[in-house]
Amino acid sequence: MKIGRWMWTFSLAALLGAPALFAAAPSGASVVEGEWLRAMKANDLEAIVACYAPDAILWAPGRAEARGTNAIREAYRGYLTESVVKDVSLAHVDHRDAAGFSAGWGEFTLTLAPKAGGDPIVMRGRFTEVVEKLGGKWLYVADHASADPAPAPAPASK
């Protein structure tokens, strides 16, 4: 009788714990996004750059193409020299993982406070990213962000 009760208790505990055993690991892209968001909100240049593979490519709004660690550092240094990141968020994000790679895409909102003064700049846009697991760590290998286009002009009235 004691064995039966023990088996029932063990089976119930295993059943209740089963969802945790089968919970999906976070997407590689979502892992890097989290690190990048924390680094941006902290205005931490080196932590931002640490999200990128040494040979990564970055296409950022208002900046020239940046290939490799030094160019990516200089692209972000440009933003952080001119402004303070007040907030950054991602929305409508989706991810796909396959064989050591992960892709992500969605929309971003970045609020920058110019160091020279003036109103905050709110930049909205879209992003597409590819991350790869290198040396046990997920890193951006391609990061493309583009600002939302200006609204279309209203049609001329007749």
Side-chain angles (χ1 to χ4, degrees), residues 32 35-36 40 45-60 66 68-69 72-73 76 129-130 134 137-144:
V32 181
E35 292 171 3
W36 181 84
M40 288 291 287
L45 177 61
E46 292 309 314
I48 295 167
V49 174
C51 294
Y52 291 83
D55 61 347
I57 187 164
L58 168 67
W59 291 291
T69 301
I72 290 169
R73 180 179 290 108
Y76 280 108
E129 63 201 8
V130 178
L134 299 166
K137 181 176 166 101
W138 288 104
L139 297 168
Y140 288 120
V141 292
D143 184 6
H144 184 195

Side-chain angles (χ1 to χ4, degrees), residues 63-86:
R63 303 285 173 199
E65 173 185 290
R67 278 187 191 268
T69 301
N70 291 334
I72 290 169
R73 180 179 290 108
E74 290 311 307
Y76 280 108
R77 187 185 318 275
Y79 283 119
L80 298 178
T81 297
E82 299 161 6
S83 305
V84 174
V85 176
K86 288 301 194 179

Side-chain angles (χ1 to χ4, degrees), residues 22 37-38 54 91 108 132 139 149:
F22 298 105
L37 286 166
R38 281 187 294 281
F108 70 88
E132 183 177 7
L139 297 168

